[in-house]
Amino acid sequence: MASPWILLEKDVFNPQNERLLEIVHVWKTGKKRKNSILCVVVAACRPMQLFLEKVKKADRGDQYKMTDRWPLKDLKLVDGKNVKQECLEFELQFDKVYKWTAVSVDEKNAFIRCLWKLNRRYLSSSIAFVSIPSCILEGKQSLQEVGNATAEAGDQAEHSAYQEMTPKETVDMLKLMEENEPIVNNSMVFAENLSKDLQVLDETNLQAIISSEKQVTLLMGSIDEALAEVAKVEETLQVYDELLGSVKQQMDHIQQGNSLLHQIDSNHEKLMSEILFLTSDLDLRETHRQVLSQGDLSSPSKVKACIAAAEALSSCMNVQIQPGYRKLQAIAEQLIMFETLKQNFENSFISHITSIFELQGNGQVPTQMQLASKLISPTHGPYHDDLLPYTPLMAWLKNANPILFNDLPKVYAWNLSRLYKREIKAFFELARMLFLGKTKECFQEVLDKQVPCGSRQHPQFCLADNREGEEDELNRGNVVEMLEQVLRELQPLCIAEQRFIEKFFMLSQDAADQEEPGLPAASKGGKDAAFPEKSHWPKTKTKLEEQPTQLLSEIFRSLEPELRGFIDTCNKVQQFSCLQVLVTLNDYMFEMQGSSTASSSSFLNMVLSNVLLLAKNNFNKCICVLCKEIEEAKVPSRAKGGILPFVSRFEEFVNFSEDVFRWAQRRGELDKAHTKLVGSVFSSINSLASANLKVNTDMVMMENFHHIHCFLYQKKIHCLESKRKEAKQRYHEHLERYVIKYLGQPLEKLNHFFEGVKARVAQGVKEEEVSFQLAYSKQELRKVIEKYPGKEVKRALDTLYRKIYKYLSPEENLLPVVWRAMEQEFIQQYREFEHLIQRCYPGSGITMDFTMEDLLNYFITITQSSM
């Protein structure tokens, strides 16, 4: 953990450009102990300034904060409280006396010693120190401390009486022992010799001292002279110090006076700059005041003058001034004048721009739209040009008074919606007349003549057999071309209006990003809802994207209902017009997504998404009605077979839809519709099995499944590939059942006889024992065979061929296929009969009256005779 000294320097004194000299931890004497720190600091500025500061820890954390500060030159007295005995209390006298208790004696002594040194060096001993030992002030030890130190030194001397020899002493000792080696063993003689040597040395030293006594006397005299010279120098220095002390005080006063003069000059400069700031930045020219007071916006030049005056007023009102300046009477009067001018001009501008909105809203439908021979949309370019010069003033009003500004878009939307309502209604009436090729009077008459088919609730999707007359009466035209023309005329109208309101009312992203209080330039466009890849529903919008969309919804409130009505008209033109409407809307929205105007058509995207949802609902209703009619279709009992009406209707729908969706961007809805319709067709064909028809049911189902298979194979629709395979399978199943049913008619009794033989064998009768059964004896077999001679078989086959030819529909051309299947099945049956005769009647010599070659000739002859 860092020491308090380091923390104090870091948190308190270094930021104030001060240097810490000494600290002492204290609390106020006689009060509850709350530790503080007294700090002696010196400021880094010139002249040098000394301060005593009290610092304590903050309430939270380890940081320190300064609570009190005294200039050290104001300190008058430092009282140590006790000279003889050490104590923790001391007093500091400034204008009042502060009593403190130190945490430790050492900190107290160090603190007082620092004050004493600073007093002597920088304050000319102006501070009095009382009840403080001189040893503490001069940094010397007290007598008790000296005694303690002497005792400790004596103890150390006793402990150090016997010391270890140094390496040099050891070498000398060894050398001495070597010189006196012969007598070393005799200690008495050796000690005597040493004593003699020591005596000789002492005599030599004494003689040297006596001979140098004169030199010592001369040295002592030189020292006395040097001390006298030092005393003279000290006296001279003391005189100089006294002289310089007064000069230093005078220099300090001069420097302090210079600093005060410098501060006065700085204050004059700041005061002059503030006065110039207030008189220049808060001054509005008289011409601007007159322009704002009059609020005249009747001409372009006057509009420009108002814009310049509003800019000047905005810059004056946006000046940041200190709160104290607002109490000055001149400043207060100036601000009141600015506010009055602002309110007066706001009222004038709002009144003027509102009158323009009302004038535009009361406008009439252009005559070129009423008399046009081709479809044209209304244009509001001149209206926008009249309002765009006021855009800078709208930006000023937005910054000056957002509440009043937010009401203007609502006023604009309410007035312009009335004009757009009349223009859009005239636009769609013209579109209907051009689309149907009728006049306005007979247009409604033609629509009123449409009568629902039967009892259906959706007459526009009715599948009545007689549709020719209805189409002749209602000249349908080209739905796709007309709807595309309507959408292309509406797009520039909506985009132009959206761009205008984004620019005029600052609703775009660019305008919203500008935060400066001046007059921001209006942006050219704004964000819109991104067009989804797999869905036409708009994504979640931000607030900036919703503002222009909501405003356009109010302006074009009649657009979506009129467009829905026009879509209904298109749906009534022909049976499957809803497909053309759906594809046209779908493709147009994809085209808008990839165009350069996609970012400026968010409102139109929203409207077209809602209309597209309506088109999808109409398409789904059409499919549901068509499926219901297919499922409820009833084939007359006297029908001769052939392709059923609902199968032809399904084929008609598929041909029409594939032609419409040939170049479509999406066909998911069509694939679902195809799957649903073909399921209904299969269900209706299967229901024929329980119908009471005069013709063979398997033959009718065979023909229709064969027709569906061939049709789907030709169209190659991927989503119906499984249904095509199923139709092929069902066709083969009913063909087999049809062949098997009619196969027994030429040889009916013979077929029944051998069926009984196979039944006996299946019951467990041995094949060679079947002939012993009375009903299946050889005689009975001969009787049955005699009934079917070759001529009779040929006649029966010819009758069967004519019957098949009569009931099979010629358009499917299934007669050769069925007759070929009959031939193969009949030959297989003949071989089975011969095989049973050989197994069950061996050695009987019984054979059929006709051979295989005869049978083949019969089929060839019948086929050739019918060609």
Side-chain angles (χ1 to χ4, degrees):
M1 182 176 179
S3 65
W5 190 292
I6 297 175
L7 293 176
L8 286 170
E9 286 185 334
K10 178 181 177 182
D11 298 339
V12 181
F13 302 117
N14 287 343
Q16 297 181 4
N17 199 14
E18 294 177 344
R19 184 164 57 90
L20 180 61
L21 300 179
E22 191 58 65
I23 64 172
V24 58
H25 291 78
V26 297
W27 72 88
K28 290 185 177 181
T29 304
K31 295 186 178 181
K32 184 178 179 181
R33 181 169 180 171
K34 292 183 179 179
N35 286 347
S36 302
I37 302 177
L38 291 180
C39 305
V40 180
V41 297
V42 56
C45 61
R46 292 293 179 180
M48 185 178 64
Q49 297 179 359
L50 299 171
F51 296 96
L52 179 65
E53 299 181 3
K54 187 177 77 169
V55 179
K56 67 177 182 179
K57 278 190 176 182
D59 295 336
R60 297 180 181 178
D62 295 333
Q63 292 186 346
Y64 292 90
K65 65 178 182 178
M66 183 179 62
T67 58
D68 291 299
R69 179 185 175 102
W70 302 275
L72 203 59
K73 64 181 181 179
D74 295 340
L75 181 61
K76 301 176 181 178
L77 176 67
V78 177
D79 189 357
K81 302 300 292 183
N82 197 331
V83 180
K84 299 180 180 180
Q85 186 179 2
E86 294 180 347
C87 63
L88 300 177
E89 294 82 5
F90 65 96
E91 294 180 359
L92 301 177
Q93 181 179 352
F94 291 94
D95 293 336
K96 59 181 288 188
V97 177
Y98 296 91
K99 299 180 180 181
W100 306 99
T101 302
V103 174
S104 67
V105 174
D106 293 337
E107 284 191 2
K108 169 190 171 183
N109 294 338
F111 177 75
I112 293 177
R113 188 180 305 116
C114 178
L115 293 178
W116 183 75
K117 291 180 179 180
L118 294 174
N119 177 47
R120 291 190 61 188
R121 185 170 182 179
Y122 299 106
L123 301 177
S124 303
S125 300
S126 61
I127 304 175
F129 289 83
V130 297
S131 302
I132 301 173
S134 59
C135 60
I136 294 177
L137 297 177
E138 297 176 358
K140 298 180 180 179
Q141 295 179 330
S142 63
L143 295 178
Q144 183 178 0
E145 291 176 348
V146 172
N148 293 335
T150 305
E152 291 177 358
D155 294 339
Q156 292 179 359
E158 291 178 0
H159 290 295
S160 63
Y162 299 96
Q163 297 180 357
E164 185 178 359
M165 289 191 300
T166 63
K168 185 176 184 305
E169 292 174 346
T170 304
V171 172
D172 294 339
M173 178 62 71
L174 292 175
K175 184 178 179 181
L176 180 63
M177 295 292 287
E178 289 177 355
E179 293 177 354
N180 298 280
E181 186 177 359
I183 61 173
V184 169
N185 295 330
N186 191 347
S187 60
M188 296 297 292
V189 177
F190 182 62
E192 186 178 353
N193 288 337
L194 292 176
S195 298
K196 292 179 179 179
D197 293 339
L198 180 60
Q199 186 176 2
V200 172
L201 291 174
D202 289 339
E203 292 177 356
T204 303
N205 290 334
L206 182 59
Q207 292 176 0
I209 292 172
I210 293 172
S211 61
S212 61
E213 183 177 359
K214 295 180 180 180
Q215 296 177 359
V216 170
T217 304
L218 293 175
L219 179 61
M220 294 299 292
S222 299
I223 292 174
D224 292 338
E225 292 176 359
L227 291 175
E229 291 295 331
V230 168
K232 293 179 181 180
V233 171
E234 286 182 351
E235 292 177 358
T236 304
L237 291 176
Q238 184 67 28
V239 174
Y240 290 164
D241 187 41
E242 292 177 357
L243 294 175
L244 290 176
S246 60
V247 172
K248 181 178 179 299
Q249 291 179 356
Q250 293 174 4
M251 293 300 296
D252 289 342
H253 288 303
I254 292 172
Q255 191 170 7
Q256 187 174 5
N258 290 336
S259 65
L260 292 177
L261 291 175
H262 178 73
Q263 188 173 3
I264 291 172
D265 293 339
S266 176
N267 292 336
H268 284 169
E269 292 178 358
K270 292 181 180 179
L271 180 60
M272 185 59 65
S273 64
E274 290 295 328
I275 293 174
L276 292 176
F277 165 73
L278 295 175
T279 55
S280 60
D281 292 357
L282 292 181
D283 183 32
L284 187 64
R285 289 191 302 177
E286 184 64 27
T287 55
H288 292 332
R289 297 181 188 178
Q290 293 178 0
V291 169
L292 293 175
S293 300
Q294 295 172 1
D296 189 359
L297 298 167
S298 58
S299 65
S301 60
K302 293 181 179 179
V303 171
K304 293 181 180 179
C306 290
I307 293 174
E311 289 179 353
L313 178 62
S314 179
S315 62
C316 291
M317 296 188 69
N318 291 330
V319 171
Q320 300 295 329
I321 59 177
Q322 298 180 9
Y325 290 165
R326 298 181 181 273
K327 297 180 181 180
L328 299 176
Q329 182 178 359
I331 302 298
E333 292 176 355
Q334 194 78 350
L335 294 178
I336 292 173
M337 181 193 68
F338 291 159
E339 187 64 27
T340 304
L341 290 175
K342 181 178 80 71
Q343 293 179 1
N344 293 337
F345 185 70
E346 284 176 359
N347 297 332
S348 301
F349 174 67
I350 291 175
S351 176
H352 180 78
I353 203 72
T354 303
S355 63
I356 296 178
F357 293 163
E358 293 176 353
L359 183 63
Q360 292 182 356
N362 294 328
Q364 300 299 323
V365 179
T367 55
Q368 58 267 27
M369 284 187 60
Q370 300 176 355
L371 304 177
S373 59
K374 64 177 182 179
L375 189 64
I376 56 174
S377 62
T379 176
H380 283 200
Y383 293 158
H384 297 164
D385 294 339
D386 292 341
L387 291 173
L388 284 177
Y390 299 98
T391 303
L393 292 177
M394 293 293 292
W396 171 82
L397 181 63
K398 183 177 182 180
N399 292 323
N401 197 333
I403 297 176
L404 293 178
F405 174 82
N406 292 333
D407 291 336
L408 288 180
K410 301 175 184 178
V411 177
Y412 175 82
W414 185 83
N415 285 280
L416 268 294
S417 63
R418 297 183 291 124
L419 175 61
Y420 273 113
K421 182 178 181 181
R422 296 189 294 270
E423 292 178 342
I424 290 173
K425 182 177 180 181
F427 173 78
F428 279 102
E429 286 182 355
L430 178 62
R432 290 186 182 93
M433 289 188 290
L434 294 176
F435 176 48
L436 301 173
K438 303 288 182 177
T439 62
K440 184 176 180 181
E441 289 76 12
C442 65
F443 164 71
Q444 188 64 36
E445 180 182 352
V446 170
L447 291 181
D448 293 340
K449 288 183 179 180
Q450 297 182 20
V451 181
C453 279
S455 60
R456 300 294 177 199
Q457 296 179 356
H458 305 282
Q460 61 270 33
F461 307 129
C462 183
L463 301 180
D465 293 336
N466 186 12
R467 301 182 307 277
E468 310 278 345
E470 198 172 325
E471 291 181 356
D472 291 340
E473 183 179 358
L474 189 59
N475 184 14
R476 58 194 176 112
N478 192 332
V479 175
V480 176
E481 181 180 352
M482 196 64 196
L483 184 56
E484 286 182 349
Q485 187 177 357
V486 168
L487 296 177
R488 285 195 175 91
E489 291 294 331
L490 289 177
Q491 183 178 1
L493 177 66
C494 296
I495 291 177
E497 188 63 34
Q498 180 168 345
R499 288 178 176 174
F500 169 73
I501 64 171
E502 287 176 350
K503 183 176 183 180
F504 189 70
F505 294 108
M506 279 71 72
L507 300 178
S508 64
Q509 182 68 37
D510 296 337
D513 289 340
Q514 297 185 4
E515 299 178 356
E516 297 182 0
L519 294 175
S523 61
K524 295 184 179 180
K527 288 188 176 181
D528 62 340
F531 195 86
E533 294 182 359
K534 296 186 177 180
S535 173
H536 293 294
W537 287 100
K539 293 181 179 178
T540 304
K541 302 176 182 178
T542 63
K543 185 176 181 180
L544 287 175
E545 292 172 342
E546 290 178 352
Q547 288 179 351
T549 303
Q550 293 175 355
L551 189 58
L552 288 169
S553 300
E554 293 294 327
I555 295 173
F556 292 102
R557 65 178 65 180
S558 63
L559 176 59
E560 186 172 339
E562 290 289 345
L563 186 56
R564 286 174 177 266
F566 184 74
I567 295 297
D568 292 339
T569 302
C570 294
N571 290 335
K572 295 177 181 180
V573 169
Q574 62 175 357
Q575 182 180 356
F576 301 125
S577 294
C578 58
L579 277 74
Q580 296 175 311
V581 172
L582 177 62
V583 172
T584 304
L585 289 173
N586 228 334
D587 292 347
Y588 189 77
M589 293 192 71
F590 271 101
E591 181 182 348
M592 284 182 59
Q593 179 187 9
S595 65
S596 59
T597 60
S599 60
S600 303
S601 56
S602 59
F603 168 73
L604 188 59
N605 279 337
M606 182 190 71
V607 173
L608 293 183
S609 297
N610 296 336
V611 176
L612 180 61
L613 181 61
L614 173 65
K616 289 181 180 179
N617 292 335
N618 292 336
F619 175 76
N620 293 333
K621 290 178 182 179
C622 173
I623 299 303
C624 291
V625 171
L626 188 58
C627 289
K628 187 174 182 180
E629 292 192 357
I630 290 174
E631 292 171 358
E632 295 178 356
K634 295 182 179 180
V635 180
S637 59
R638 296 183 179 181
K640 297 182 179 180
I643 306 305
L644 299 173
F646 57 82
V647 175
S648 300
R649 197 76 71 245
F650 169 74
E651 181 180 355
E652 178 186 356
F653 175 81
V654 172
N655 287 329
F656 183 83
S657 62
E658 287 297 321
D659 183 62
V660 172
F661 277 81
R662 182 181 304 172
W663 308 109
Q665 298 286 342
R666 299 179 64 205
R667 54 173 295 136
E669 293 85 359
L670 181 62
D671 290 342
K672 294 177 183 179
H674 281 166
T675 305
K676 188 174 182 180
L677 285 173
V678 77
S680 299
V681 171
F682 277 37
S683 176
S684 296
I685 295 176
N686 293 332
S687 65
L688 294 178
S690 59
N692 186 16
L693 302 178
K694 289 188 176 181
V695 295
N696 186 272
T697 304
D698 290 319
M699 180 195 71
V700 177
M701 297 173 73
M702 173 193 67
E703 285 185 312
N704 283 276
F705 278 121
H706 177 266
H707 183 79
I708 293 174
H709 164 70
C710 295
F711 174 70
L712 295 180
Y713 182 81
Q714 178 185 2
K715 289 297 180 181
K716 299 185 183 302
I717 302 174
H718 179 71
C719 66
L720 299 181
E721 187 64 22
S722 60
K723 290 296 183 180
R724 181 190 67 80
K725 295 179 180 179
E726 182 182 353
K728 182 179 180 181
Q729 180 183 356
R730 300 290 299 277
Y731 152 68
H732 286 294
E733 291 177 359
H734 289 287
L735 174 62
E736 184 180 354
R737 291 169 59 182
Y738 178 70
V739 169
I740 292 174
K741 182 174 182 179
Y742 279 90
L743 188 61
Q745 293 183 2
L747 306 175
E748 185 176 1
K749 293 182 179 180
L750 189 61
N751 188 31
H752 289 169
F753 181 84
F754 282 109
E755 288 290 336
V757 171
K758 289 189 288 184
R760 291 297 183 273
V761 173
Q763 291 173 1
V765 179
K766 296 182 180 180
E767 293 180 348
E768 59 272 12
E769 295 179 359
V770 173
S771 60
F772 297 104
Q773 298 285 333
L774 182 61
Y776 302 101
S777 61
K778 298 178 181 178
Q779 292 80 5
E780 291 295 328
L781 178 58
R782 289 189 180 96
K783 290 180 182 179
V784 174
I785 290 176
E786 289 175 356
K787 293 181 179 179
Y788 295 98
K791 293 182 179 180
E792 182 64 25
V793 172
K794 181 180 179 182
R795 186 184 63 80
L797 290 174
D798 186 63
T799 303
L800 178 62
Y801 180 84
R802 296 181 183 279
K803 186 176 182 181
I804 295 173
Y805 177 79
K806 178 180 179 182
Y807 289 107
L808 283 177
S809 59
E811 60 269 14
E812 287 302 307
N813 197 23
L814 288 177
L815 180 59
V817 178
V818 175
W819 187 244
R820 178 63 179 169
M822 286 284 187
E823 178 182 355
Q824 292 177 356
E825 189 67 26
F826 199 88
I827 292 173
Q828 182 181 356
Q829 192 179 55
Y830 175 81
R831 290 173 179 174
E832 184 181 4
F833 290 167
E834 284 189 339
H835 186 61
L836 286 174
I837 291 173
Q838 292 175 3
R839 289 187 302 161
C840 298
Y841 303 94
S844 62
I846 301 174
T847 59
M848 302 288 287
D849 190 51
F850 51 91
T851 62
M852 179 69 72
E853 294 180 358
D854 295 336
L855 189 59
L856 292 174
N857 290 332
Y858 296 158
F859 277 98
I860 292 173
T861 302
I862 294 172
T863 303
Q864 292 177 352
S865 63
S866 62
M867 295 179 63

